[in-house]
Structure formats: structure tokens, C-alpha cells
Amino acid sequence: MAGSFLNINREPDLVRCFDEGNREVPLNRNGSVWTGGGFRFSAVVAQAGMALAIEGGSSVSRIQLRWRGDFRDVQRFFGDHWERSYGDLRWGTFEANRPMPWYFLAFDGEATHGYGLRTNPAAFCFWNADPEGISLWIDIRSGGMPVNLSGRELAIGTVVCREGAVNESPFDAAIAFCRQMCPNPRLAKQPVYGTNDWPFTYGDNSADIIAEATKMISDLSPNQDNRPFSVIDEGWAMGPYNGKFGYGPWVGNPRFGDMGLVASRLRDLNVRPGIWIRPLTPLDETPDAMKLSRDATYLDPTNAEVLEHVRLHIKRCVDWGYDLIKHDFTTYDLLGWWGFQMGAQVTRGGWSLQDRTVTNAEALSNLYRVIREAAGDALLIGCNTVSHLATEYHEIQRTGDDTSGVSWDRTRRMGVNTLAFRAPQHRTFYEVDPDIVAITKSIPWELNEQWLQLVAESGTALFVAVDPSLVGDKEKAALSKALDLASRHQPIGRPIDWMENSCPRRWRLNGRDVEFNWIGEKGSWPYSD
């Protein structure tokens, strides 16, 4: 074994706690227990990992654990993202202040070691690494205020680590460590694939538009034992029809009508119906008591009436006949920031959840649980949901920000990056959805065809958004091949040059090496899209 492994399945060398103003709270240590400020923090070592817990008190916002050791031989680090990635996942060198949410990998030139938490913790957690050791930072706030535990013990989570083998590939090490962090993933029985209209229609959709594109995809999908999904994205409800995207009422607008009849129409086309919903936006008649103190345009999921509201709307979608529910925006709606804005703190200070005894992580996990229970046997895709909290609840996870039907550069950045760097989570955490292949007039086919091939052969979930008027014989042939591949389990695609390239060109797909040209003749677009 390489000598750079730092075993953190031991009591930390340092524990520090901080109040709402980031002032340090004095602590006294007795073995694996630290006390001070009216609370008790424990770090109990076991073979499966070190269990962290805190009880009592209402003054702690953050906890730091520090393991000292010689980390100078590490050459590259890889860290995960809070929720989706944003084209920014990468292997990097030492950055002592860089937050690495949930887990990280450390490569010393011979072996790749893993450090992280078991999935479904009760707090938002990130790591720092530097030449002298490792720090774990734990955010136990409720909104932007210290959680009020009211005497209960909060089981924060379990710290785990894995010593990599010499000459084990970093990709294999990543897969093995993801399995260690998530021993009980919730997985779909068959590969998930099909069509989603968003980057073709961008909400300007209708039952007829959906049906036309769905029929084409159904006709091009030869596997009769695993039929494709047709997911109706934003645009079907009354909110968009009235100029309020992302809002209800969650009934079909005049372009769709009865959403149960729409589901039946899709099923008659030999596909499985799916539907999109944003659970934490209020209706016009929603009482103020259900709204979030940070921003009243969203609902507070620690309110019992909100959870019942969410449950009823998810169940309605299932009762209409939808076999897949894509729920969206809950991280942003609760915390007010996208993942790329969060950094070392996932929300601003100075506001609180209605239930101050619940952490932000617990609030989201409980929301996912309610959605899961209401969905019954329907599959769930989490979009803008927290990766490390979703594994027991979602069969599929959107692991990157949106690809595009108008900007190839955005698709290249977001899609290829998340597929490469979150592929180790595929079927170890959930089914990875790297987002949609959009076949539109704005995206050059010679570039898009490569993206279609990569997703189809990678083993991850394939969704396509297709303008039927653009599909000729060559596009039909490529789509049919891709849909057939995506309908069957494939070995996970392996990015060969992911340690040198945030948008890997070289891949190992189905036992052969394939090189892609993602840039095209015009080069990349360095401005916003």
C-alpha cells in the first residue's frame, strides 16, 4: 500500500464548535466526547466507520473535526458537489480552502484513497485537505440559525475512509468508495431512457407536441421488454399558461387538458408516461403560515401542512397514471442558492425554518421521504436535489446542470463533465442522469451525435429531446441505435483522460477506446450562455 493514506477512522485530533457569529465555543474533552456551551459532541469509532452525534444546546452552527497527518505525497484531489454539478468537477492540486462536499479522493501517483461520509447524513458536510491533514466541517443549522435540538441527540452521520491499492485505477477506486458510502442504494430494475421535451420546447409545449415527439421515439425504440419513458417537463400546468413558470395550480392547462387522459394517450403510444413538478412553490390560496421565512414565494417543508400538500400533489400525478415523477428546484427553493453559489455555507445566515429542531439536511431528507412514499411504485428523478441525501429515495438523479437545445458549449460543459466525474455514482448511489441530448436546429448534428453516442454507450440514463422536423434517415438510424443500447444494461463508460481534462475526450466504452471531438471548428464560447 502507498504511504500517503491517512486513516481517519479514529478520534479526531481536534474538535472545534462555532456559534451563529462564527465565534468558537470552548470545549472540554473526555476521550471521544467533547462538551461545552450546554451540548455534548461524540465521535465513536467502530469497524464500519466513526459515528458522529451531538445532543443538547441551541448555540452551535458549525463543527470542525481535524485529523493531522502527512499528506504531502498527494498529487491530485477530487471533490464532489453539494447537489448538481455545474461543469466544474475536476481533479485539482492542493487548495487548502477548497470545500469538497460529502467526500473526496486523494491520488498520490500510485493509489487513490477515499474520505467521506455515509450517504443520508443529518447535516451538510464538506472536507478540506492540505499538506498537514484533513478537516471535516459540519453545518447543523436550521435555515441560517443554530439548530435547537431541545435535548435530543442528533445522529450526524458516519465518517468512512478507504485505502486504495497500488496501481488500482482512480476510477475503480472511486466506484469502490461510492459503494462503501452507500450500501443500500435504491435502483431501478431496468435501465431508464426515453424522451423529455424541455430543451426542445422550453415550456412552450402541448399534449399534441408531446405526442408527436413521443410517437417518433417510441417507433425508434426496438426493445419491447423495456419501453422508453416520455417525460412531460415544465409547461403543462396552469402557472406557465398564466406567465408564472415553476408554479401551479398543478392541473393541466388548456394546451393539455385532463392530465390523466394525456397519460393514457402516451401509454397508447407504447411508452411509460412521466411528469415534472416543482413541489415547494405555493398556490394563490396558500396560507402565509405555510411559507418560508427566508422567501415567502416558497414553502417551508418543516410545516406539516406543506408536507401534506406535497404528498397530495405527488399522489395525484401517480393517480393520473404517470410512472415517473421528476421533482425539481427543492434545494434552491429551500436554501436560496444554487450549488455553485454555496461554497462553504449552503445558505445565508439570519433566517430559520419553522421547526427550529430540524437541520436543513433533515428537512430535505424528510421532504424526499414524503415524496417517495406518495410516489409509491413510480420512479423518481431528483433534479436540483442533494446528491448525498437522495440515495434512499430516488432511483435516478440529475447529476449536472441543464444541457441545452440552443448552446452546444453549455451541453459540452455541463453534460460531458457530470457524466465523467459522477459516473462512479452510477448504480452505486442511483441511476446517473447526465441530462438531455437535444436535437434542435441550433445544435450541430456532428457534435450532438457524439454526445448521443457517449450517453447511450456509457450505461447511464439517456433522455432525448427531439424536434421531429429535423430527423432524417441518418438521425433516425443513430437514435434507434442509441435508444436500443440505452434500454439494456451497459458497462459504465470510463473517462480515460479525466485527471487532465474537465471535459474528457477519451473514453473506454464497451471494451474499446473512443476519442471524441467536443470543441468543433469554432472553438469554445467563453461568455455566458
Side-chain angles (χ1 to χ4, degrees), residues 93-154:
T93 54
F94 278 109
E95 296 177 68
N97 294 332
R98 174 188 173 190
M100 295 183 285
W102 308 122
Y103 72 93
F104 73 98
L105 305 173
F107 175 69
D108 65 7
E110 293 184 332
T112 306
H113 311 304
Y115 306 87
L117 289 118
R118 288 268 297 267
T119 53
N120 302 105
F124 278 84
C125 304
F126 72 87
W127 301 83
N128 291 143
D130 57 74
E132 283 75 47
I134 296 172
S135 291
L136 171 64
W137 292 87
I138 303 166
D139 185 334
I140 58 167
R141 291 180 298 163
S142 179
M145 306 288 285
V147 67
N148 184 355
L149 294 173
S150 297
R152 76 174 174 112
E153 181 180 73
L154 175 69

Short mmCIF file of all heavy atoms in Angstrom, two decimals, residues 93-154:
data_model
loop_
_atom_site.label_atom_id
_atom_site.label_comp_id
_atom_site.label_asym_id
_atom_site.label_seq_id
_atom_site.Cartn_x
_atom_site.Cartn_y
_atom_site.Cartn_z
N THR A 93 -5.00 20.24 -7.64
CA THR A 93 -3.90 20.17 -6.69
C THR A 93 -4.33 20.75 -5.35
O THR A 93 -5.51 21.05 -5.14
CB THR A 93 -2.68 20.92 -7.25
OG1 THR A 93 -3.08 22.26 -7.59
CG2 THR A 93 -2.16 20.24 -8.51
N PHE A 94 -3.40 20.90 -4.43
CA PHE A 94 -3.73 21.41 -3.10
C PHE A 94 -4.41 22.77 -3.18
O PHE A 94 -3.90 23.71 -3.78
CB PHE A 94 -2.46 21.54 -2.25
CG PHE A 94 -2.03 20.26 -1.61
CD1 PHE A 94 -0.90 19.60 -2.05
CD2 PHE A 94 -2.75 19.71 -0.56
CE1 PHE A 94 -0.48 18.41 -1.46
CE2 PHE A 94 -2.35 18.53 0.03
CZ PHE A 94 -1.21 17.88 -0.41
N GLU A 95 -5.59 22.87 -2.59
CA GLU A 95 -6.28 24.13 -2.35
C GLU A 95 -6.86 24.03 -0.95
O GLU A 95 -7.94 23.50 -0.75
CB GLU A 95 -7.39 24.37 -3.37
CG GLU A 95 -6.94 24.52 -4.81
CD GLU A 95 -8.13 24.67 -5.75
OE1 GLU A 95 -8.81 25.70 -5.67
OE2 GLU A 95 -8.36 23.74 -6.53
N ALA A 96 -6.14 24.54 0.04
CA ALA A 96 -6.49 24.29 1.45
C ALA A 96 -7.88 24.78 1.80
O ALA A 96 -8.53 24.22 2.68
CB ALA A 96 -5.45 24.94 2.35
N ASN A 97 -8.36 25.82 1.13
CA ASN A 97 -9.68 26.38 1.45
C ASN A 97 -10.80 25.84 0.57
O ASN A 97 -11.94 26.26 0.71
CB ASN A 97 -9.65 27.91 1.30
CG ASN A 97 -8.75 28.56 2.33
OD1 ASN A 97 -8.55 28.04 3.42
ND2 ASN A 97 -8.19 29.71 1.98
N ARG A 98 -10.49 24.93 -0.33
CA ARG A 98 -11.50 24.43 -1.26
C ARG A 98 -12.47 23.49 -0.54
O ARG A 98 -12.08 22.44 -0.03
CB ARG A 98 -10.82 23.68 -2.40
CG ARG A 98 -11.78 22.98 -3.37
CD ARG A 98 -11.00 22.10 -4.35
NE ARG A 98 -11.88 21.29 -5.17
CZ ARG A 98 -11.44 20.30 -5.97
NH1 ARG A 98 -10.15 20.05 -6.05
NH2 ARG A 98 -12.30 19.60 -6.68
N PRO A 99 -13.77 23.85 -0.49
CA PRO A 99 -14.75 22.92 0.09
C PRO A 99 -15.01 21.76 -0.86
O PRO A 99 -15.26 21.96 -2.04
CB PRO A 99 -16.01 23.78 0.26
CG PRO A 99 -15.59 25.19 0.02
CD PRO A 99 -14.40 25.12 -0.87
N MET A 100 -14.94 20.56 -0.33
CA MET A 100 -15.24 19.35 -1.10
C MET A 100 -16.43 18.67 -0.43
O MET A 100 -16.26 17.94 0.55
CB MET A 100 -14.00 18.44 -1.17
CG MET A 100 -12.85 19.07 -1.93
SD MET A 100 -11.37 18.01 -2.12
CE MET A 100 -10.69 18.10 -0.46
N PRO A 101 -17.65 18.92 -0.93
CA PRO A 101 -18.84 18.40 -0.27
C PRO A 101 -18.89 16.87 -0.23
O PRO A 101 -18.53 16.20 -1.19
CB PRO A 101 -19.99 18.96 -1.12
CG PRO A 101 -19.42 20.18 -1.78
CD PRO A 101 -17.99 19.82 -2.05
N TRP A 102 -19.27 16.36 0.91
CA TRP A 102 -19.62 14.97 1.15
C TRP A 102 -18.43 14.02 1.15
O TRP A 102 -18.27 13.24 2.08
CB TRP A 102 -20.68 14.49 0.16
CG TRP A 102 -21.87 15.37 0.08
CD1 TRP A 102 -22.37 16.01 -1.03
CD2 TRP A 102 -22.75 15.77 1.15
NE1 TRP A 102 -23.49 16.75 -0.73
CE2 TRP A 102 -23.75 16.61 0.61
CE3 TRP A 102 -22.78 15.47 2.52
CZ2 TRP A 102 -24.76 17.17 1.39
CZ3 TRP A 102 -23.79 16.03 3.29
CH2 TRP A 102 -24.75 16.86 2.73
N TYR A 103 -17.59 14.04 0.10
CA TYR A 103 -16.45 13.12 0.07
C TYR A 103 -15.39 13.64 -0.87
O TYR A 103 -15.64 14.54 -1.68
CB TYR A 103 -16.89 11.70 -0.35
CG TYR A 103 -17.25 11.52 -1.81
CD1 TYR A 103 -16.31 11.09 -2.75
CD2 TYR A 103 -18.56 11.74 -2.25
CE1 TYR A 103 -16.65 10.89 -4.08
CE2 TYR A 103 -18.91 11.54 -3.58
CZ TYR A 103 -17.95 11.12 -4.49
OH TYR A 103 -18.28 10.93 -5.80
N PHE A 104 -14.19 13.06 -0.78
CA PHE A 104 -13.15 13.41 -1.74
C PHE A 104 -12.22 12.22 -1.94
O PHE A 104 -12.16 11.29 -1.11
CB PHE A 104 -12.37 14.66 -1.32
CG PHE A 104 -11.41 14.49 -0.17
CD1 PHE A 104 -10.05 14.28 -0.40
CD2 PHE A 104 -11.85 14.55 1.15
CE1 PHE A 104 -9.17 14.13 0.64
CE2 PHE A 104 -10.96 14.41 2.21
CZ PHE A 104 -9.62 14.21 1.95
N LEU A 105 -11.49 12.25 -3.05
CA LEU A 105 -10.50 11.25 -3.39
C LEU A 105 -9.13 11.91 -3.42
O LEU A 105 -9.00 13.07 -3.82
CB LEU A 105 -10.79 10.62 -4.75
CG LEU A 105 -12.18 10.00 -4.94
CD1 LEU A 105 -12.38 9.59 -6.39
CD2 LEU A 105 -12.38 8.81 -4.01
N ALA A 106 -8.11 11.19 -3.02
CA ALA A 106 -6.74 11.70 -2.99
C ALA A 106 -5.84 10.70 -3.71
O ALA A 106 -5.76 9.53 -3.31
CB ALA A 106 -6.27 11.91 -1.55
N PHE A 107 -5.13 11.15 -4.74
CA PHE A 107 -4.28 10.30 -5.58
C PHE A 107 -2.83 10.69 -5.38
O PHE A 107 -2.47 11.87 -5.51
CB PHE A 107 -4.68 10.47 -7.04
CG PHE A 107 -3.81 9.75 -8.02
CD1 PHE A 107 -3.80 8.37 -8.10
CD2 PHE A 107 -2.98 10.47 -8.90
CE1 PHE A 107 -2.99 7.71 -9.01
CE2 PHE A 107 -2.18 9.81 -9.81
CZ PHE A 107 -2.18 8.43 -9.87
N ASP A 108 -1.99 9.72 -5.06
CA ASP A 108 -0.58 10.00 -4.78
C ASP A 108 0.38 9.54 -5.88
O ASP A 108 1.59 9.52 -5.69
CB ASP A 108 -0.16 9.39 -3.44
CG ASP A 108 -0.20 7.85 -3.44
OD1 ASP A 108 -0.42 7.25 -4.52
OD2 ASP A 108 0.01 7.25 -2.37
N GLY A 109 -0.17 9.18 -7.04
CA GLY A 109 0.64 8.66 -8.13
C GLY A 109 0.62 7.15 -8.23
O GLY A 109 0.94 6.58 -9.29
N GLU A 110 0.25 6.48 -7.15
CA GLU A 110 0.16 5.02 -7.14
C GLU A 110 -1.20 4.52 -6.70
O GLU A 110 -1.70 3.53 -7.22
CB GLU A 110 1.23 4.44 -6.21
CG GLU A 110 2.66 4.65 -6.66
CD GLU A 110 3.65 3.97 -5.73
OE1 GLU A 110 3.32 3.81 -4.52
OE2 GLU A 110 4.73 3.58 -6.20
N ALA A 111 -1.78 5.17 -5.72
CA ALA A 111 -3.04 4.72 -5.13
C ALA A 111 -3.98 5.90 -4.96
O ALA A 111 -3.56 7.05 -4.85
CB ALA A 111 -2.80 4.03 -3.79
N THR A 112 -5.28 5.58 -4.93
CA THR A 112 -6.32 6.59 -4.75
C THR A 112 -7.11 6.26 -3.50
O THR A 112 -7.75 5.20 -3.41
CB THR A 112 -7.27 6.63 -5.96
OG1 THR A 112 -6.51 6.80 -7.16
CG2 THR A 112 -8.27 7.76 -5.83
N HIS A 113 -7.06 7.15 -2.52
CA HIS A 113 -7.72 6.94 -1.24
C HIS A 113 -9.01 7.74 -1.18
O HIS A 113 -9.12 8.82 -1.77
CB HIS A 113 -6.80 7.33 -0.09
CG HIS A 113 -5.42 6.76 -0.20
ND1 HIS A 113 -5.19 5.41 -0.32
CD2 HIS A 113 -4.20 7.36 -0.24
CE1 HIS A 113 -3.87 5.19 -0.41
NE2 HIS A 113 -3.26 6.36 -0.38
N GLY A 114 -10.00 7.24 -0.42
CA GLY A 114 -11.28 7.91 -0.30
C GLY A 114 -11.57 8.32 1.13
O GLY A 114 -11.27 7.57 2.08
N TYR A 115 -12.18 9.48 1.30
CA TYR A 115 -12.54 10.03 2.60
C TYR A 115 -13.93 10.65 2.47
O TYR A 115 -14.18 11.46 1.57
CB TYR A 115 -11.56 11.10 3.05
CG TYR A 115 -10.12 10.64 3.04
CD1 TYR A 115 -9.34 10.74 1.89
CD2 TYR A 115 -9.53 10.09 4.18
CE1 TYR A 115 -8.02 10.31 1.86
CE2 TYR A 115 -8.21 9.65 4.17
CZ TYR A 115 -7.46 9.76 3.00
OH TYR A 115 -6.16 9.32 2.98
N GLY A 116 -14.86 10.28 3.34
CA GLY A 116 -16.19 10.82 3.18
C GLY A 116 -17.12 10.44 4.31
O GLY A 116 -16.71 9.99 5.39
N LEU A 117 -18.40 10.63 4.05
CA LEU A 117 -19.46 10.24 4.97
C LEU A 117 -20.39 9.26 4.29
O LEU A 117 -20.60 9.33 3.07
CB LEU A 117 -20.29 11.46 5.40
CG LEU A 117 -19.58 12.43 6.33
CD1 LEU A 117 -19.47 13.76 5.66
CD2 LEU A 117 -20.32 12.53 7.65
N ARG A 118 -20.95 8.36 5.07
CA ARG A 118 -22.02 7.52 4.54
C ARG A 118 -23.14 8.41 4.05
O ARG A 118 -23.39 9.50 4.58
CB ARG A 118 -22.52 6.57 5.64
CG ARG A 118 -21.56 5.45 6.00
CD ARG A 118 -21.83 4.20 5.18
NE ARG A 118 -23.14 3.66 5.44
CZ ARG A 118 -23.40 2.71 6.35
NH1 ARG A 118 -22.43 2.21 7.10
NH2 ARG A 118 -24.62 2.27 6.52
N THR A 119 -23.85 7.96 3.03
CA THR A 119 -24.95 8.74 2.49
C THR A 119 -26.07 8.89 3.52
O THR A 119 -26.16 8.12 4.47
CB THR A 119 -25.50 8.09 1.22
OG1 THR A 119 -25.81 6.71 1.48
CG2 THR A 119 -24.49 8.18 0.09
N ASN A 120 -26.90 9.91 3.31
CA ASN A 120 -28.03 10.25 4.15
C ASN A 120 -27.64 10.71 5.56
O ASN A 120 -28.23 10.29 6.55
CB ASN A 120 -29.03 9.08 4.22
CG ASN A 120 -29.54 8.70 2.85
OD1 ASN A 120 -29.14 7.68 2.30
ND2 ASN A 120 -30.41 9.51 2.28
N PRO A 121 -26.66 11.60 5.66
CA PRO A 121 -26.34 12.20 6.96
C PRO A 121 -27.43 13.20 7.35
O PRO A 121 -28.31 13.54 6.54
CB PRO A 121 -25.01 12.89 6.71
CG PRO A 121 -25.07 13.27 5.27
CD PRO A 121 -25.82 12.16 4.58
N ALA A 122 -27.35 13.71 8.58
CA ALA A 122 -28.34 14.65 9.09
C ALA A 122 -27.83 16.09 9.08
O ALA A 122 -28.44 16.96 9.71
CB ALA A 122 -28.76 14.25 10.50
N ALA A 123 -26.72 16.33 8.40
CA ALA A 123 -26.15 17.67 8.32
C ALA A 123 -25.42 17.82 6.99
O ALA A 123 -25.00 16.83 6.38
CB ALA A 123 -25.18 17.91 9.48
N PHE A 124 -25.30 19.06 6.54
CA PHE A 124 -24.48 19.36 5.36
C PHE A 124 -23.01 19.35 5.80
O PHE A 124 -22.65 20.02 6.77
CB PHE A 124 -24.86 20.72 4.78
CG PHE A 124 -26.06 20.69 3.89
CD1 PHE A 124 -27.35 20.76 4.44
CD2 PHE A 124 -25.93 20.58 2.52
CE1 PHE A 124 -28.46 20.72 3.62
CE2 PHE A 124 -27.03 20.54 1.69
CZ PHE A 124 -28.31 20.61 2.24
N CYS A 125 -22.18 18.61 5.06
CA CYS A 125 -20.79 18.42 5.46
C CYS A 125 -19.86 18.57 4.26
O CYS A 125 -20.19 18.13 3.16
CB CYS A 125 -20.59 17.02 6.06
SG CYS A 125 -21.68 16.64 7.46
N PHE A 126 -18.70 19.17 4.49
CA PHE A 126 -17.68 19.23 3.45
C PHE A 126 -16.30 19.04 4.06
O PHE A 126 -16.11 19.15 5.28
CB PHE A 126 -17.76 20.55 2.66
CG PHE A 126 -17.29 21.77 3.41
CD1 PHE A 126 -15.95 22.14 3.40
CD2 PHE A 126 -18.19 22.57 4.09
CE1 PHE A 126 -15.51 23.27 4.09
CE2 PHE A 126 -17.77 23.71 4.77
CZ PHE A 126 -16.42 24.06 4.77
N TRP A 127 -15.34 18.78 3.19
CA TRP A 127 -13.97 18.48 3.58
C TRP A 127 -13.01 19.54 3.05
O TRP A 127 -13.22 20.12 1.98
CB TRP A 127 -13.55 17.11 3.03
CG TRP A 127 -14.41 15.99 3.50
CD1 TRP A 127 -15.60 15.59 2.95
CD2 TRP A 127 -14.17 15.10 4.59
NE1 TRP A 127 -16.12 14.52 3.63
CE2 TRP A 127 -15.26 14.20 4.64
CE3 TRP A 127 -13.13 14.98 5.52
CZ2 TRP A 127 -15.35 13.20 5.60
CZ3 TRP A 127 -13.22 13.97 6.47
CH2 TRP A 127 -14.31 13.10 6.51
N ASN A 128 -11.94 19.76 3.79
CA ASN A 128 -10.74 20.47 3.32
C ASN A 128 -9.56 19.52 3.44
O ASN A 128 -9.51 18.69 4.36
CB ASN A 128 -10.43 21.71 4.15
CG ASN A 128 -11.42 22.84 3.99
OD1 ASN A 128 -11.72 23.53 4.95
ND2 ASN A 128 -11.91 23.06 2.80
N ALA A 129 -8.60 19.64 2.54
CA ALA A 129 -7.36 18.85 2.63
C ALA A 129 -6.18 19.78 2.38
O ALA A 129 -6.24 20.66 1.52
CB ALA A 129 -7.38 17.70 1.62
N ASP A 130 -5.11 19.56 3.12
CA ASP A 130 -3.89 20.35 2.98
C ASP A 130 -2.71 19.45 3.30
O ASP A 130 -2.90 18.30 3.73
CB ASP A 130 -3.94 21.56 3.91
CG ASP A 130 -4.14 21.17 5.37
OD1 ASP A 130 -3.17 20.67 5.99
OD2 ASP A 130 -5.26 21.37 5.89
N PRO A 131 -1.47 19.90 3.10
CA PRO A 131 -0.33 19.01 3.32
C PRO A 131 -0.19 18.48 4.74
O PRO A 131 0.47 17.46 4.96
CB PRO A 131 0.87 19.89 2.94
CG PRO A 131 0.32 20.88 1.97
CD PRO A 131 -1.06 21.17 2.46
N GLU A 132 -0.83 19.13 5.71
CA GLU A 132 -0.69 18.72 7.11
C GLU A 132 -1.88 17.94 7.65
O GLU A 132 -1.89 17.57 8.82
CB GLU A 132 -0.45 19.95 8.00
CG GLU A 132 0.97 20.51 7.94
CD GLU A 132 1.23 21.28 6.65
OE1 GLU A 132 0.37 22.10 6.29
OE2 GLU A 132 2.25 21.01 6.00
N GLY A 133 -2.91 17.70 6.82
CA GLY A 133 -4.02 16.93 7.33
C GLY A 133 -5.34 17.18 6.64
O GLY A 133 -5.41 17.78 5.56
N ILE A 134 -6.42 16.73 7.29
CA ILE A 134 -7.77 16.74 6.74
C ILE A 134 -8.71 17.37 7.76
O ILE A 134 -8.63 17.07 8.96
CB ILE A 134 -8.25 15.30 6.44
CG1 ILE A 134 -7.39 14.65 5.35
CG2 ILE A 134 -9.71 15.28 6.04
CD1 ILE A 134 -7.68 13.18 5.15
N SER A 135 -9.62 18.22 7.28
CA SER A 135 -10.67 18.78 8.13
C SER A 135 -12.04 18.41 7.56
O SER A 135 -12.25 18.41 6.34
CB SER A 135 -10.56 20.30 8.20
OG SER A 135 -9.42 20.72 8.91
N LEU A 136 -12.96 18.11 8.47
CA LEU A 136 -14.37 17.92 8.14
C LEU A 136 -15.16 19.04 8.80
O LEU A 136 -15.03 19.27 10.01
CB LEU A 136 -14.87 16.57 8.63
CG LEU A 136 -16.38 16.32 8.55
CD1 LEU A 136 -16.87 16.33 7.11
CD2 LEU A 136 -16.77 15.01 9.24
N TRP A 137 -15.97 19.74 8.01
CA TRP A 137 -16.81 20.82 8.52
C TRP A 137 -18.27 20.39 8.44
O TRP A 137 -18.73 19.91 7.41
CB TRP A 137 -16.59 22.09 7.71
CG TRP A 137 -15.23 22.70 7.90
CD1 TRP A 137 -14.09 22.41 7.21
CD2 TRP A 137 -14.88 23.69 8.86
NE1 TRP A 137 -13.04 23.17 7.67
CE2 TRP A 137 -13.50 23.97 8.68
CE3 TRP A 137 -15.59 24.39 9.83
CZ2 TRP A 137 -12.82 24.91 9.46
CZ3 TRP A 137 -14.92 25.33 10.61
CH2 TRP A 137 -13.54 25.58 10.43
N ILE A 138 -18.99 20.56 9.56
CA ILE A 138 -20.36 20.09 9.70
C ILE A 138 -21.26 21.29 9.96
O ILE A 138 -21.05 22.04 10.92
CB ILE A 138 -20.48 19.08 10.86
CG1 ILE A 138 -19.51 17.90 10.63
CG2 ILE A 138 -21.91 18.60 11.02
CD1 ILE A 138 -19.32 17.03 11.87
N ASP A 139 -22.26 21.49 9.12
CA ASP A 139 -23.21 22.59 9.23
C ASP A 139 -24.51 22.04 9.82
O ASP A 139 -25.24 21.31 9.15
CB ASP A 139 -23.45 23.20 7.85
CG ASP A 139 -24.34 24.43 7.86
OD1 ASP A 139 -25.16 24.56 8.79
OD2 ASP A 139 -24.24 25.25 6.93
N ILE A 140 -24.80 22.38 11.08
CA ILE A 140 -26.01 21.85 11.72
C ILE A 140 -27.03 22.96 11.95
O ILE A 140 -27.79 22.95 12.92
CB ILE A 140 -25.71 21.10 13.04
CG1 ILE A 140 -24.99 22.01 14.04
CG2 ILE A 140 -24.91 19.84 12.77
CD1 ILE A 140 -24.96 21.41 15.43
N ARG A 141 -27.07 23.88 11.00
CA ARG A 141 -28.05 24.97 11.12
C ARG A 141 -29.45 24.52 10.69
O ARG A 141 -29.61 23.56 9.94
CB ARG A 141 -27.60 26.16 10.29
CG ARG A 141 -26.35 26.85 10.83
CD ARG A 141 -25.96 28.03 9.97
NE ARG A 141 -25.64 27.61 8.61
CZ ARG A 141 -25.57 28.44 7.57
NH1 ARG A 141 -25.80 29.74 7.74
NH2 ARG A 141 -25.26 27.99 6.37
N SER A 142 -30.42 25.27 11.18
CA SER A 142 -31.81 25.14 10.77
C SER A 142 -32.15 26.44 10.06
O SER A 142 -32.33 27.47 10.70
CB SER A 142 -32.71 24.94 12.00
OG SER A 142 -34.06 24.83 11.63
N GLY A 143 -32.20 26.41 8.72
CA GLY A 143 -32.16 27.65 7.97
C GLY A 143 -30.78 28.25 8.13
O GLY A 143 -29.77 27.57 7.94
N GLY A 144 -30.72 29.53 8.53
CA GLY A 144 -29.43 30.17 8.76
C GLY A 144 -29.11 30.37 10.22
O GLY A 144 -28.21 31.16 10.56
N MET A 145 -29.81 29.65 11.11
CA MET A 145 -29.64 29.79 12.56
C MET A 145 -29.20 28.45 13.15
O MET A 145 -29.44 27.39 12.58
CB MET A 145 -30.96 30.22 13.19
CG MET A 145 -31.57 31.49 12.59
SD MET A 145 -30.67 32.98 13.05
CE MET A 145 -31.21 33.14 14.74
N PRO A 146 -28.58 28.47 14.35
CA PRO A 146 -28.24 27.20 15.00
C PRO A 146 -29.49 26.36 15.24
O PRO A 146 -30.55 26.88 15.61
CB PRO A 146 -27.62 27.65 16.33
CG PRO A 146 -27.14 29.03 16.09
CD PRO A 146 -28.12 29.64 15.13
N VAL A 147 -29.38 25.06 15.01
CA VAL A 147 -30.50 24.17 15.29
C VAL A 147 -30.74 24.14 16.80
O VAL A 147 -29.81 24.21 17.60
CB VAL A 147 -30.21 22.76 14.74
CG1 VAL A 147 -29.07 22.07 15.48
CG2 VAL A 147 -31.46 21.90 14.76
N ASN A 148 -31.99 24.04 17.18
CA ASN A 148 -32.36 23.90 18.59
C ASN A 148 -32.73 22.45 18.83
O ASN A 148 -33.84 22.02 18.51
CB ASN A 148 -33.54 24.82 18.93
CG ASN A 148 -33.90 24.78 20.40
OD1 ASN A 148 -33.34 24.00 21.16
ND2 ASN A 148 -34.84 25.62 20.80
N LEU A 149 -31.80 21.69 19.36
CA LEU A 149 -32.00 20.26 19.49
C LEU A 149 -32.98 19.89 20.59
O LEU A 149 -33.46 18.74 20.65
CB LEU A 149 -30.66 19.55 19.73
CG LEU A 149 -29.69 19.61 18.55
CD1 LEU A 149 -28.34 19.05 18.94
CD2 LEU A 149 -30.26 18.87 17.35
N SER A 150 -33.29 20.83 21.49
CA SER A 150 -34.28 20.59 22.56
C SER A 150 -33.98 19.31 23.33
O SER A 150 -34.90 18.55 23.67
CB SER A 150 -35.70 20.54 21.97
OG SER A 150 -36.05 21.78 21.38
N GLY A 151 -32.70 19.06 23.55
CA GLY A 151 -32.30 17.91 24.34
C GLY A 151 -32.16 16.62 23.58
O GLY A 151 -31.64 15.63 24.13
N ARG A 152 -32.60 16.54 22.33
CA ARG A 152 -32.48 15.28 21.59
C ARG A 152 -31.07 15.09 21.05
O ARG A 152 -30.31 16.05 20.90
CB ARG A 152 -33.46 15.24 20.42
CG ARG A 152 -33.06 16.07 19.21
CD ARG A 152 -34.02 15.86 18.06
NE ARG A 152 -33.76 16.74 16.94
CZ ARG A 152 -33.31 16.34 15.75
NH1 ARG A 152 -33.05 15.07 15.54
NH2 ARG A 152 -33.11 17.22 14.78
N GLU A 153 -30.70 13.85 20.78
CA GLU A 153 -29.42 13.54 20.16
C GLU A 153 -29.60 13.54 18.65
O GLU A 153 -30.48 12.87 18.12
CB GLU A 153 -28.89 12.19 20.62
CG GLU A 153 -27.53 11.86 20.00
CD GLU A 153 -26.96 10.53 20.45
OE1 GLU A 153 -27.49 9.50 20.00
OE2 GLU A 153 -26.00 10.54 21.23
N LEU A 154 -28.75 14.29 17.97
CA LEU A 154 -28.73 14.32 16.51
C LEU A 154 -27.62 13.39 16.03
O LEU A 154 -26.44 13.66 16.27
CB LEU A 154 -28.49 15.74 16.01
CG LEU A 154 -28.33 15.90 14.49
CD1 LEU A 154 -29.67 15.65 13.80
CD2 LEU A 154 -27.81 17.30 14.15
#
